[in-house]
Amino acid sequence: VGDARPFDLRTPALYHTCFDDCPLVTLLASRNSRDEKFAALRNAGVTHLLIDWNEIQRYRSPGNYGFPAEVTREWIHETLLRNERLFRPLRTDPQWGDVELLEVASE
């Protein structure tokens, strides 16, 4: 989510540009229960989530393309990680900057 570089990914990945709907929002925002969200992630083949907060901030800066308002640190950390336990954080390299890598938690 947010990373501007993976245009040439050769592995299966759900990815969007600023001109497309955000798959994460599409998969999760309209689902009410944790079970529904797990099922949506599983059915889409999602195993990991990479979030580049620097790029999201850049997209949201004045004169830029914008980025879905639903994708916030609060939504990711409070709702998806802490409350619903849909993901678990993985270690990342500090050289990545403000990038988070999350793994879909086991049911």
Side-chain angles (χ1 to χ4, degrees):
V1 177
D3 195 336
R5 296 165 289 189
F7 287 108
D8 60 349
L9 286 176
R10 298 190 190 279
T11 59
L14 292 175
Y15 176 74
H16 74 104
T17 68
C18 58
F19 306 110
D20 306 314
D21 291 335
C22 176
L24 183 65
V25 172
T26 302
L27 284 172
L28 302 181
S30 66
R31 301 211 166 44
N32 295 319
S33 75
R34 181 177 186 261
D35 290 340
E36 289 176 324
K37 291 175 183 177
F38 262 123
L41 291 167
R42 185 176 46 251
N43 291 339
V46 175
T47 61
H48 292 81
L49 176 63
L50 180 84
I51 307 164
D52 188 331
W53 294 110
N54 292 321
E55 287 298 306
I56 291 172
Q57 182 179 351
R58 183 175 70 87
Y59 289 136
R60 289 178 173 158
S61 67
N64 216 310
Y65 296 110
F67 201 81
E70 297 90 344
V71 179
T72 64
R73 287 182 194 267
E74 181 179 18
W75 183 54
I76 298 293
H77 293 175
E78 295 298 320
T79 302
L80 302 182
L81 277 159
R82 190 166 294 131
N83 296 340
E84 296 178 344
R85 299 176 328 277
L86 287 172
F87 297 94
R88 66 178 191 90
L90 298 176
R91 296 183 107 191
T92 57
D93 189 321
Q95 293 179 348
W96 291 7
D98 198 5
V99 174
E100 291 184 81
L101 180 61
L102 310 175
E103 181 177 45
V104 175
S106 59
E107 292 184 60

